[in-house]
Amino acid sequence: MSRELYTSDGKRKYLTSEERDLFLKEANQHERGEVQTLCLVMAYTGCRISEALALTADKIDLSNKTIIFRTLKQRDRIVFRAIPVPDSTLYALDLVHRIRKAQKGKLSGSKTLLWSWKRCQATKHICGMMQQAGISGAHASPKGLRHAFGVKASADTRNPRLVQKWLGHRSIETTAIYMDAVGDEERELASRMW
């Protein structure tokens, strides 16, 4: 796997499948709905934390079962991407943030931010959830969730263009860091040589 998924001292920057599952289990049990939905959106979309905090109710497409993000890293262009999410995440978003009601309002939810937090507070929530799940290290962060999504999407789909689209990368070379065999798949491939 490419060195971009490791720190300069060789520590992993992404959550493993097991750690991601622990994170999601904790998130689903959290008492505050807003924290729960932020964690679910971050884990199931691989969005950047700034992209999540910019979400408005009108960008939750309940009929198409996607969340639409404006890709913030391409500031010189306006680029949107739609990412499919589980029904349970859409249900939680609607329940906690009253998506349907906001979309029926005067501005169709275009001014209704899902979370009113700043980046620092949202990061504290994500890192706190990591701590509750027993996850620590360089990968216990919002960026660790994004990398985990990239690794999982690459391993499960083996479709670099789709992963590029979902992550909002301008260049396929950026996405390529996730395309190497990883985790269990890498071990299974290596075992063929044993």
Side-chain angles (χ1 to χ4, degrees):
M1 187 179 302
S2 179
R3 68 189 179 310
E4 286 89 351
L5 289 179
Y6 292 92
T7 63
S8 60
D9 59 345
K11 301 276 193 295
R12 178 172 39 85
K13 290 184 183 178
Y14 62 93
L15 278 71
T16 63
S17 291
E18 293 80 18
E19 289 169 331
R20 183 175 175 269
D21 290 345
L22 286 171
F23 176 83
L24 287 168
K25 181 179 178 188
E26 285 297 321
N28 281 314
Q29 296 173 359
H30 199 276
E31 61 200 26
R32 288 187 58 199
E34 304 87 18
V35 174
Q36 180 186 48
T37 55
L38 176 67
C39 291
L40 295 174
V41 166
M42 295 284 300
Y44 284 122
T45 67
C47 68
R48 298 169 180 92
I49 198 158
S50 300
E51 293 171 339
L53 294 176
L55 272 178
T56 52
D58 66 319
K59 298 299 185 265
I60 309 301
D61 189 341
L62 296 170
S63 61
N64 204 27
K65 300 182 179 187
T66 59
I67 298 177
I68 303 162
F69 294 95
R70 178 171 182 196
T71 304
L72 296 179
K73 283 280 190 145
Q74 297 183 21
R75 289 186 173 92
D76 56 328
R77 306 175 11 200
I78 296 178
V79 177
F80 289 94
R81 65 188 195 276
I83 304 172
V85 293
D87 290 342
S88 58
T89 299
L90 293 170
Y91 177 78
L93 285 166
D94 191 28
L95 185 69
V96 172
H97 303 280
R98 298 184 177 108
I99 301 298
R100 290 180 203 280
K101 182 177 180 183
Q103 290 176 350
K104 289 179 183 174
K106 187 175 182 180
L107 298 172
S108 302
S110 63
K111 300 290 184 194
T112 309
L113 284 172
L114 300 189
W115 301 281
S116 59
W117 307 317
K118 300 292 184 208
R119 184 183 177 97
C120 183
Q121 184 65 36
T123 299
K124 284 181 184 178
H125 287 307
I126 296 292
C127 292
M129 192 65 62
M130 294 283 185
Q131 188 175 17
Q132 285 182 317
I135 304 165
S136 62
H139 57 287
S141 66
K143 190 75 166 180
L145 282 173
R146 180 169 169 77
H147 287 317
F149 177 87
V151 168
K152 182 163 179 46
S154 295
D156 291 353
T157 68
R158 303 307 295 167
N159 184 335
R161 293 287 177 201
L162 188 57
V163 177
Q164 177 187 18
K165 175 188 158 201
W166 287 343
L167 289 172
H169 292 156
R170 181 178 277 182
S171 167
I172 195 71
E173 286 78 26
T174 306
T175 308
I177 67 168
Y178 301 107
M179 297 310 297
D180 292 332
V182 294
D184 292 338
E185 181 179 297
E186 182 177 24
R187 183 166 179 77
E188 195 269 305
L189 291 170
S191 71
R192 295 177 189 174
M193 300 182 310
W194 302 338

